[in-house]
Amino acid sequence: MTTTLRLAAARALAWALLLGGWVGVGAVALALTPSLLALHALVAAWLVVLGVAATVATRDSLQARTRRLALVLGALWTAGALVWAAHGGGLPALLLALCAWAGLTALASGVVRSLRQAQITRPRPPIAAASIGALCAALAIGDPSHAQALALRLGLLVVLAALALALLQLSDPRRGAVSTCRAGLFDCSLPAWPAGAWHDVQQWPTLLAGLAMLPMMAALPLMVAWCRAESIAPQAMVLLHFAAMFVPALLLRRAMAHWHPRVLPVVCTLLLAAGALIVLCASAPFNLLGVALAQGAAWSLAWAGQLWSPERRSRQGTSPLRAAIGYAVVTLAVGVAVQALGPLGLALAQAALGLVAVLAWGYLLARHAPAHAPWVDLAEARAIAVEPQ
């Protein structure tokens, strides 16, 4: 297998682990605790542990043999703890699974990084590979409301993914070109923004679109439960959710490389505003479905736009842990709103993204702000990653 194919396969597996863990931890937690705040707290803890693991598992000094062994042991630990959590182990077992899965995801990113370094040419953005990984994660999650069956499927996912990544890991990960990975966790899937990003109001819609992933992913198990009451199949809800996040980027991945810098913020504003209107005006369950489509598409295009940014490729050294802590705080804030208000709390959190984006664009129109800040290239914004780029 060529290095290019190895890299594509590793990217897909890394994304499957990221998305499967993000939704899977929350889904199993929902079956173990009646507290919606506790569910969001566990997802926030997963993000923090992922940030900690990312600072270690992606280091170039980690030997290939060590990474392979850690992948296998981490997968067995994760699968065993998940099954134990669903069969009486409760939250302590889930915490063990959470830590192991975060480490496993970081190790997967390390495999991707080593394969990127082995390539002479610059790899293309991983939009197609990430979409395949999202499909694999959606199939593994299936119906997230049955904890015991879900734990078995997720355990199988992590074991198979870890074994495949161990086989894909090159023996000498440092040959070839020097890495130019972007900073963050899972390269642009969530933001570790450039210094001064929030000083440019024109970039706010793109930055806010990057935040849309947080309430959507953390609350997906809840959305499945709420929509089940309206006779919407859980599997369809999960697939629809992931399709909204990846299909727009997949379809527009080539065209976006040539967009004018002001196009992406405008598109993100329109999509975030549409999501806010839908979630506030439509009746259940169409409000939840509509906001998932609109704001999922906003995140998708903001993510893809950043992958094409040349300036983003040269920014390294941003702390994954700092970014992870920031997004854990946002996740907890959403959890407080959902705990207090239920579905309305989630609706208000998502509507707030659209409202702020519209206000930011209205401010620009009123002030006749310049169209493009000098340090921004192609709507520069974001990146949280255990770099599966």
Side-chain angles (χ1 to χ4, degrees), residues 36-73:
L36 302 183
L37 180 58
L39 182 155
H40 285 79
L42 285 169
V43 174
W46 187 79
L47 286 170
V48 172
V49 177
L50 182 59
V52 173
T55 63
V56 177
T58 57
R59 289 177 180 172
D60 295 337
S61 59
L62 193 63
Q63 295 183 353
R65 181 173 58 183
T66 303
R67 186 176 284 127
R68 290 194 192 100
L69 179 61
L71 281 166
V72 174
L73 293 179

Side-chain angles (χ1 to χ4, degrees), residues 232-246:
I232 297 177
Q235 296 88 340
M237 187 65 188
V238 174
L239 285 170
L240 180 67
H241 185 95
F242 284 168
M245 291 171 56
F246 290 94

Side-chain angles (χ1 to χ4, degrees), residues 294-356:
Q295 297 197 350
W299 175 87
S300 181
L301 297 180
W303 167 63
Q306 294 316 299
L307 291 173
W308 284 108
S309 172
E311 199 275 344
R312 189 70 256 156
R313 295 191 184 101
S314 64
R315 299 189 65 88
Q316 302 181 56
T318 300
S319 169
L321 178 57
R322 184 182 66 183
I325 291 173
Y327 290 99
V329 171
V330 176
T331 300
L332 283 174
V334 174
V336 171
V338 174
Q339 177 71 29
L341 302 173
L344 179 60
L346 177 62
L348 292 176
Q350 292 170 312
L353 294 176
L355 177 61
V356 176

Side-chain angles (χ1 to χ4, degrees), residues 202 206 258-270 361 379:
Q202 180 171 300
T206 309
H258 308 289
W259 280 9
H260 188 277
R262 76 173 66 183
V263 172
L264 184 60
V266 172
V267 173
C268 288
T269 299
L270 293 175
W361 201 252

Side-chain angles (χ1 to χ4, degrees), residues 197-214:
W198 287 99
H199 296 167
D200 177 21
V201 180
Q202 180 171 300
Q203 302 311 311
W204 280 28
T206 309
L207 300 172
L208 292 166
L211 286 174
M213 189 177 185
L214 288 167

